[in-house]
């Protein structure tokens, strides 16, 4: 079985490079489409929902920075088309699952730090994406930085 459309969840740091490279290597033999997605989480979620100030301007700056970083990935990975990238605002699990369904992806590729113990087998985002995913999920193990 070969995959036709891979959705790669990226955090827009250098850690996403091995994840993108693995997805592209998987896609290459069959010419599968590779799409990127980055989720900008609402700042209120980071503060537990109760924030006594307007964070909309900071949130917009965060979104603009994510767009700039995503644009840099096109220079680095010319095989990925600009139209195949998605910046979403919301909760990562929900947005990744919804996009994978909408785009008819048959594989979601995420990075994992491979922490020890069953509960820490996958990072929190990778673990969330795995549960209830509408398709297969590949967790690419990321190397620890010293």
């Amino acid at each position: 079985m070969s995959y036709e459309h891979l959705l790669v969840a990226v955090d827009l740091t250098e850690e996403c490079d091995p994840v993108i490279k693995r997805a592209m290597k998987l896609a290459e033999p069959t010419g599968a489409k590779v799409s990127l997605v980055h989720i900008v989480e609402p700042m209120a979620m980071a503060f537990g929902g109760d924030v006594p100030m307007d964070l909309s301007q900071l949130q917009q700056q965060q979104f603009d920075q994510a767009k700039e970083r995503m644009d840099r990935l096109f220079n680095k990975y010319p095989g990925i088309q600009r139209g195949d990238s998605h910046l979403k605002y919301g909760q990562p699990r929900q947005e990744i699952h919804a996009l994978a369904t909408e785009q008819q992806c048959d594989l979601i590729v995420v990075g994992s730090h491979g922490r020890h113990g069953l509960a820490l087998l996958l990072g929190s985002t990778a673990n969330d994406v795995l549960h209830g995913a509408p398709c297969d999920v590949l967790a690419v193990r990321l190397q620890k930085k010293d």
Side-chain angles (χ1 to χ4, degrees), residues 21-103:
K21 287 176 184 175
R22 179 70 54 89
M24 293 184 76
K25 196 169 195 169
L26 274 172
E28 187 178 0
T30 61
K33 181 177 179 177
V34 176
S35 296
L36 302 178
V37 61
H38 176 74
I39 312 301
V40 176
E41 291 186 71
M43 288 187 152
M45 286 176 63
F47 295 106
D50 259 350
V51 184
M53 55 194 248
D54 181 16
L55 297 174
S56 59
Q57 188 174 3
L58 287 173
Q59 193 74 61
Q60 185 60 49
Q61 287 175 348
Q62 187 181 20
F63 200 84
D64 293 343
Q65 287 174 350
K67 186 177 180 335
E68 287 175 22
R69 289 184 185 146
M70 183 74 89
D71 285 344
R72 285 187 217 136
L73 289 178
F74 297 117
N75 296 330
K76 208 173 198 178
Y77 301 100
I80 299 173
Q81 304 299 313
R82 286 188 187 273
D84 296 332
S85 71
H86 308 273
L87 274 176
K88 298 285 185 175
Y89 180 76
Q91 198 275 334
R93 173 187 178 169
Q94 293 172 348
E95 295 300 326
I96 292 168
H97 287 180
L99 186 62
T101 300
E102 174 190 310
Q103 297 288 313

